[in-house]
Amino acid sequence: MLWTANRIIRKFSTSSNYYQNKLRLALIGQSLFGQEVYTNLRKQGHRVVGVFTVPDRDGKADPLAVVAEKDGTPVFKFPRWRVKGKPIPEVVEAYKAVGAELNVMPFCSQFIPMNVIDHPAHGSIIYHPSILPLHRGASAINWTLIQGDKKAGFSIFWADDGLDTGPILLQRECPVEPNDTVDSLYNRFLFPEGIKAMVESVQLIADGKAPRVPQTEEGASYEGIQKKSNSKVNLAQPAEAIHNWIRGHDKVPGAWAVIDGQTVTLYGSSMLGESVPAGQPLEIEGASQPGVITKNGLVLYGSDSKALMVKNLQFEDGKMISAAKYFSSGDTASVELTDDEKKMAEEIRDIWKGILSNVAAIEETTDFFKSGAASMDVVRLVEEIKQKCVGLQLQNEDVYMATTFQDFIQMFVRRLRGEDQEEEMVIDYATKDVNNMTVKMPWQCFINGKFEDAENGKTANTINPADGSVICKVAYASVGDVDRAVAAAKEAFEVGPWGRMNPRDRGTLLYKLADLMEEHQEELATIESIDSGAVYTLALKTHVGMSIQTFRYFAGWCDKIQGKTIPINQARPNHNLTFTKKEPLGVCAIVIPWNYPLMMLAWKSAACLAAGNTLVLKPAQVTPLSALKFAELTVKAGIPKGVINIVPGSGGMVGQRLSDHPDIRKLGFTGSTPIGKQIMKSCALSNLKKVSLELGGKSPLIIFSDCDMDKAVRMGMSSVFFNKGENCIAAGRLFVEESIHDEYIRRVLEEIKKMKVGDPLDRSTDHGPQNHKAHMEKLVEYCEVGMKEGATLVYGGKQVDRPGFFMEPTLFIDVEDHMFIAKEESFGPIMVVSKFKDGDIDGVLNRANDTEFGLASGVFTRDINKAMYVSERLDAGTVFVNTYNKTDVASPFGGFKQSGFGKDLGEDALNEYLRTKAVTVEY
């Protein structure tokens, strides 16, 4: 009975896959795609009874064959299945002998006979990288890009005797990004989602649920295979068509043009916006006007005078260079290798030999590609060398730039010595003479240690709320920019110096960054003021001042992050030691709001970096400038490239991609509750990434009759009007005890009338403009709703009659609990006051807690017992007693209920960016 019970328990504890139907499969195909499909089908419980793939090439087996042979799966490597159009009997018989119920063809370059296709009970299914019937044929991905399709995708279809014409089983689609290449589209969507879809399709067949939807001929197209001979660029057409042609051939077979009488292949195309950098002209055969060699690459013009940028050029001898270096004179002088470097060179020669197994000996002049290497061999070369030389910054592009062994070794040694460092950071500043200084503001995306345009060339204006004028244009990042930023952060974490750095050294860099922020504090405060509307004196003290304090505080934590030892029951006669380690999470995403642009960056980034993570940060779309200035200072501080990346842009595109990205392990967000919910959902559905959320608030402030009236008035004003009300913890509703209500309102009104509304750079200004026009308009509407519902407007309620986005400081009384303004946050300079009966402590507590928000709260009373009673019962993450807005870098900050979860600041914030690993050792 015990055995039976165990069997029953085991059945009920397994996954749902245990109960699914399973098939005997023949896999016919090749490549890494085939390998992944094979592996995942086996994980799902299907039995692969035979793998039919291509013969070894130059002594190397196909990846599908390699993994199948390791598993002991029968592997067949037929050079062909047919001769003169007729099936080869012995090949067909060998296939039939495995007894497959379904043929799965993930990627197959061979012609398979119909008596093989139709033999299994369930027939055969094939993967095709287009949305059939569009782009039938072997170059489907190329033609998706060449023709400028807005959507790409793939089809799983039932094989028939036509060319990609069989009934559809399943299709998936994705948007085509403006600068997608064959590689990026394949790697981002067609490869990972295609693998999942193949596995899903097999299970649908096994469960008897697989559809067979006949293909329509309407909209059908067939395009031939693209070869080098027919991939010359026609430069006498619009720029977008040229761009599509180049990216549709990148990397294979490569689009080319004739420059100085020789064939030059063009790689890395992207459309440019309105601004084209200056450079040196270059005549190109067939172009409507000369190209331009700039610091960023080769600019080409279409017949419509619009421009595109090409990053890399490859010459007829196979050598590839950065297009920006086309006119560079002479080659770099060779370096003399030390004895240790010579040993390393020989180890690299062995790696080349292992890859180029068909080459008898690796000579100095051996060319990697002319010896038969393909793109997968490039990946293997780079990864094997990086494995030997941990921390070496080596990219796939480097192999294309140094194709012979001697050139590769020279490049490798320079990179190893640090002689081949990037050129000094180039920043295309937007400058503005303001506040008695010239502020220099970076405006491009900051990715992998460089400022660069968004890949689609798009920009957006950022506006000065004091007068509505344009400060400058700012890069408007795309999904591709986010992907590059995440890749840079991932590499910086996994193989860069940041992940191996001593914690104390990491702290030293953060201290240096704080010092640089202090050195530039007037410039940072000026940028905050013109970009967010913050009064300059407040920006200097709080926006910037607290940011500096935050980085210094967390710099001190870097070498104090500790685990602990845990006494456990010993496994006698052995002994056990159990201890915990605190480890960084990896790549983190940070999405910050517009009310405190720099301070919110600091609150999250400092803890994230102190814990050893790398990050990709999205500033608010309307206030990106201080984050980009901060990025410049990180380079000056010596923070390694890729550790910090800044991608300005929209929440719908950049923020959503960060939420969805599978390589991000944590997302920290400050913003509205509805957006926080969407982020949490996306993070869960993507890869269950860790989330911390600081969301909306409606913080209650209770003022009892035994308060210090002077202090209660002063602090009550600050609780609402601090930072013109654009304050997460602003007192959204004041409850004033009935016996002092009228006196309190009289004194508050006197203070409001004294407030100076005006230029935020004027040192005497109390109240600057609201952050942006749409927000100001919402505040006016908020006041109109309050009046309609019957609240009494004592003062304000309107936009100030002057240029810019200024809102009058506003005071409402007689606010009842059911009213909109009693329940909803204004996030502006609007004081909402309700009275409560004398002595009714529990009653006012019930009213104060009757909200779905719980960020902050406050109480004013001279009775310490009353203060402690109220503070214990207020349902909020922070309670202020006889003060307000008193935050400190050492004190945790965060909300309850729909105000979010997780903490910024203090030791608690570090735990948001760490994971705990338990280790048990037996000795």
Side-chain angles (χ1 to χ4, degrees):
M1 280 301 295
L2 180 60
W3 180 86
T4 306
N6 283 342
R7 283 289 297 272
I8 293 170
I9 290 169
R10 184 178 177 194
K11 269 185 114 172
F12 278 97
S13 66
T14 52
S15 72
S16 60
N17 290 334
Y18 184 92
Y19 299 99
Q20 292 178 332
N21 302 307
K22 301 302 169 190
L23 293 175
R24 291 164 55 87
L25 307 174
L27 232 75
I28 305 175
Q30 63 206 74
S31 79
L32 278 174
F33 186 78
Q35 180 193 81
E36 288 296 318
V37 170
Y38 164 87
T39 301
N40 281 275
L41 285 170
R42 280 171 50 88
K43 282 181 182 177
Q44 291 296 312
H46 297 285
R47 183 182 173 193
V48 180
V49 293
V51 166
F52 299 84
T53 187
V54 294
D56 296 354
R57 181 184 169 212
D58 298 325
K60 293 186 295 183
D62 182 82
L64 173 58
V66 171
V67 70
E69 286 169 343
K70 280 185 181 177
D71 293 336
T73 301
V75 175
F76 304 84
K77 301 177 182 180
F78 302 133
R80 62 187 62 82
W81 293 69
R82 304 185 307 177
V83 173
K84 296 181 179 179
K86 294 184 179 180
I88 303 172
E90 54 268 33
V91 171
V92 173
E93 288 308 311
Y95 158 77
K96 290 181 177 179
V98 302
E101 297 172 296
L102 173 70
N103 292 333
V104 179
M105 303 168 70
F107 176 74
C108 182
S109 61
Q110 297 176 311
F111 288 101
I112 309 301
M114 285 307 299
N115 58 343
V116 170
I117 295 289
D118 295 335
H119 178 74
H122 295 289
S124 303
I125 59 170
I126 303 178
Y127 170 90
H128 184 78
S130 79
I131 307 170
L132 291 172
L134 191 63
H135 304 312
R136 293 168 177 164
S139 293
I141 312 176
N142 304 76
W143 284 101
T144 297
L145 297 173
I146 291 168
Q147 295 194 350
D149 294 354
K150 300 305 180 186
K151 291 190 299 184
F154 58 79
S155 306
I156 314 294
F157 69 96
W158 299 91
D160 65 3
D161 58 358
L163 185 60
D164 305 330
T165 56
I168 302 298
L169 190 159
L170 180 151
Q171 289 184 319
R172 297 278 187 271
E173 63 181 45
C174 71
V176 177
E177 295 299 322
N179 294 318
D180 264 330
T181 64
V182 173
D183 282 353
S184 68
L185 189 56
Y186 184 71
N187 293 331
R188 186 181 80 247
F189 184 80
L190 300 177
F191 180 84
E193 296 303 319
I195 293 163
K196 294 177 190 174
M198 287 296 283
V199 175
E200 181 183 345
S201 297
V202 170
Q203 193 57 55
L204 285 171
I205 295 168
D207 294 338
K209 299 177 181 178
R212 291 175 179 261
V213 181
Q215 286 192 44
T216 174
E217 288 305 304
E218 183 180 349
S221 65
Y222 171 82
E223 296 91 6
I225 296 174
Q226 285 305 99
K227 301 177 182 178
K228 196 74 175 180
S229 59
N230 62 7
S231 60
K232 183 179 180 182
V233 186
N234 174 13
L235 296 169
Q237 56 182 332
E240 188 173 358
I242 298 171
H243 165 63
N244 287 337
W245 185 266
I246 294 172
R247 67 185 181 133
H249 292 80
D250 189 342
K251 290 276 188 300
V252 178
W256 55 274
V258 177
I259 304 175
D260 283 339
Q262 67 170 318
T263 298
V264 178
T265 306
L266 314 173
Y267 296 109
S269 172
S270 59
M271 291 297 295
L272 284 179
E274 294 178 3
S275 104
V276 175
Q280 189 171 348
L282 177 67
E283 292 293 335
I284 303 173
E285 184 180 292
S288 56
Q289 64 186 89
V292 182
I293 296 293
T294 73
K295 64 183 180 182
N296 297 323
L298 167 62
V299 174
L300 297 176
Y301 291 93
S303 58
D304 55 358
S305 296
K306 292 183 179 179
L308 60 140
M309 178 78 75
V310 173
K311 285 192 174 180
N312 297 317
L313 305 175
Q314 188 174 35
F315 298 100
E316 292 173 349
D317 62 0
K319 184 177 182 181
M320 184 181 286
I321 64 165
S322 167
K325 297 180 179 179
Y326 183 84
F327 288 120
S328 298
S329 58
D331 294 326
T332 308
S334 297
V335 295
E336 191 70 29
L337 273 60
T338 65
D339 289 343
D340 286 342
E341 288 166 348
K342 288 176 181 176
K343 289 178 183 176
M344 296 181 80
E346 290 308 310
E347 291 181 22
I348 293 175
R349 193 188 300 272
D350 290 339
I351 295 173
W352 275 52
K353 179 61 182 170
I355 296 171
L356 304 175
S357 54
N358 56 311
V359 177
I362 304 299
E363 308 289 349
E364 300 304 298
T365 56
T366 299
D367 187 286
F368 193 67
F369 296 102
K370 290 180 180 177
S371 299
S375 58
M376 275 310 303
D377 298 310
V378 173
V379 176
R380 177 181 165 185
L381 175 62
V382 168
E383 294 306 316
E384 283 199 46
I385 292 175
K386 284 164 73 173
Q387 196 172 31
K388 281 187 174 291
C389 306
V390 177
L392 179 70
Q393 298 296 309
L394 192 65
Q395 310 290 334
N396 294 352
E397 292 293 333
D398 295 325
V399 183
Y400 293 101
M401 301 288 190
T403 60
T404 66
F405 183 73
Q406 59 187 3
D407 289 345
F408 187 85
I409 292 299
Q410 288 285 311
M411 177 274 297
F412 167 79
V413 170
R414 287 194 181 91
R415 193 67 54 84
L416 202 61
R417 293 178 182 179
E419 296 173 5
D420 197 18
Q421 296 296 323
E422 300 283 344
E423 296 175 3
E424 187 176 347
M425 182 174 59
V426 177
I427 305 177
D428 183 14
Y429 290 111
T431 59
K432 196 169 185 68
D433 293 323
V434 61
N435 201 24
N436 300 315
M437 68 180 78
T438 300
V439 292
K440 299 166 68 177
M441 299 168 287
W443 57 271
Q444 297 164 296
C445 299
F446 182 71
I447 299 174
N448 206 25
K450 291 181 181 179
F451 285 101
E452 53 189 53
D453 293 345
E455 69 172 12
N456 56 16
K458 285 187 178 180
T459 60
N461 291 332
T462 188
I463 304 298
N464 183 342
D467 58 11
S469 64
V470 175
I471 303 170
C472 64
K473 63 182 181 181
V474 176
Y476 194 80
S478 68
V479 168
D481 295 309
V482 176
D483 289 346
R484 289 188 298 111
V486 173
K490 187 170 187 279
E491 182 170 7
F493 179 76
E494 293 179 351
V495 301
W498 188 253
R500 305 188 314 279
M501 191 177 291
N502 290 327
R504 197 163 298 164
D505 293 337
R506 191 162 63 240
T508 299
L509 289 179
L510 295 184
Y511 276 123
K512 187 175 180 181
L513 177 57
D515 291 344
L516 281 164
M517 293 171 71
E518 188 170 53
E519 184 182 324
H520 289 263
Q521 61 182 329
E522 288 86 2
E523 186 177 21
L524 285 166
T526 302
I527 292 171
E528 284 280 280
S529 187
I530 64 174
D531 203 23
S532 76
V535 171
Y536 176 75
T537 50
L538 178 67
L540 194 62
K541 178 181 182 296
T542 302
H543 288 234
V544 179
M546 194 173 187
S547 300
I548 295 166
Q549 292 175 26
T550 302
F551 272 99
R552 286 188 174 140
Y553 173 80
F554 283 107
W557 266 109
C558 289
D559 61 353
K560 301 173 187 68
I561 298 170
Q562 302 176 24
K564 56 187 176 183
T565 57
I566 302 171
I568 65 169
N569 289 340
Q570 306 294 325
R572 297 177 180 175
N574 299 315
H575 293 82
N576 296 101
L577 169 66
T578 294
F579 61 92
T580 61
K581 297 172 63 181
K582 295 287 188 179
E583 297 180 340
L585 301 172
V587 181
C588 298
I590 293 174
V591 180
I592 57 173
W594 43 257
N595 58 326
Y596 294 105
L598 186 64
M599 195 170 79
M600 292 297 99
L601 175 153
W603 281 21
K604 295 185 188 300
S605 299
C608 174
L609 295 168
N613 301 286
T614 58
L615 65 88
V616 179
L617 181 140
K618 190 198 92 65
Q621 186 174 339
V622 291
T623 54
L625 294 177
S626 54
L628 294 169
K629 187 66 181 180
F630 168 81
E632 177 190 349
L633 299 181
T634 67
V635 177
K636 293 181 177 180
I639 306 290
K641 69 177 186 178
V643 173
I644 296 169
N645 305 272
I646 313 287
V647 280
S650 72
M653 182 179 294
V654 174
Q656 187 62 52
R657 180 56 179 159
L658 290 171
S659 301
D660 293 336
H661 203 292
D663 289 333
I664 291 174
R665 294 298 169 191
K666 158 72 196 275
L667 191 147
F669 171 74
T670 294
S672 72
T673 296
I675 299 299
K677 290 179 178 180
Q678 179 60 42
I679 284 175
M680 191 172 176
K681 180 180 179 181
S682 297
C683 288
L685 291 174
S686 56
N687 62 339
L688 212 63
K689 56 177 67 69
K690 189 175 182 179
V691 183
S692 56
L693 304 171
E694 195 252 283
L695 307 175
K698 187 67 175 174
S699 302
L701 174 57
I702 303 172
I703 301 173
F704 287 100
S705 58
D706 61 353
C707 69
D708 178 333
M709 179 65 83
D710 290 341
K711 192 172 187 181
V713 170
R714 187 175 68 254
M715 290 292 181
M717 289 282 293
S718 173
S719 76
V720 174
F721 299 116
F722 189 82
N723 199 45
K724 12 76 175 221
E726 295 169 354
N727 187 21
C728 307
I729 56 173
R733 191 176 182 193
L734 277 67
F735 295 92
V736 182
E737 200 159 10
E738 193 168 30
S739 59
I740 64 165
H741 175 270
D742 293 349
E743 172 67 9
Y744 186 82
I745 295 301
R746 183 186 66 78
R747 293 185 58 174
V748 163
L749 182 59
E750 287 177 357
E751 296 301 316
I752 290 176
K753 289 178 178 179
K754 295 176 187 176
M755 291 176 68
K756 179 179 177 180
V757 178
D759 181 2
L761 294 174
D762 183 336
R763 279 30 172 197
S764 64
T765 295
D766 298 304
H767 186 80
Q770 304 311 134
N771 186 275
H772 52 281
K773 184 179 180 182
H775 180 54
M776 183 201 64
E777 291 171 346
K778 282 185 179 180
L779 294 177
V780 172
E781 184 181 344
Y782 185 92
C783 292
E784 290 171 351
V785 171
M787 289 186 286
K788 285 178 183 176
E789 289 191 330
T792 301
L793 177 66
V794 177
Y795 191 87
K798 301 187 298 295
Q799 180 180 355
V800 179
D801 185 16
R802 59 171 291 164
F805 313 137
F806 292 86
M807 178 74 187
E808 292 178 338
T810 299
L811 172 60
F812 277 103
I813 62 172
D814 301 327
V815 178
E816 298 178 13
D817 294 353
H818 69 275
M819 292 180 178
F820 176 82
I821 63 173
K823 295 178 175 295
E824 296 299 324
E825 179 181 31
S826 72
F827 211 65
I830 302 172
M831 183 178 282
V832 175
V833 183
S834 301
K835 66 177 71 171
F836 66 96
K837 292 180 180 179
D838 291 349
D840 188 11
I841 299 175
D842 290 329
V844 75
L845 275 170
N846 288 336
R847 295 171 72 191
N849 286 330
D850 185 21
T851 172
E852 273 300 299
F853 301 111
L855 190 56
S857 59
V859 55
F860 279 83
T861 176
R862 285 192 172 98
D863 184 338
I864 188 63
N865 292 321
K866 186 188 295 182
M868 295 307 294
Y869 179 86
V870 171
S871 66
E872 286 175 5
R873 286 160 178 78
L874 282 169
D875 195 7
T878 297
V879 181
F880 298 109
V881 178
N882 294 328
T883 187
Y884 210 88
N885 287 325
K886 179 54 184 171
T887 54
D888 187 89
V889 295
S891 177
F893 179 94
F896 298 161
K897 300 186 287 189
Q898 291 197 47
S899 287
F901 50 83
K903 298 294 181 183
D904 291 325
L905 304 180
E907 183 180 0
D908 292 52
L910 283 170
N911 292 323
E912 300 294 333
Y913 296 94
L914 292 165
R915 64 186 186 186
T916 302
K917 178 182 286 183
V919 181
T920 297
V921 182
E922 187 168 284
Y923 60 95

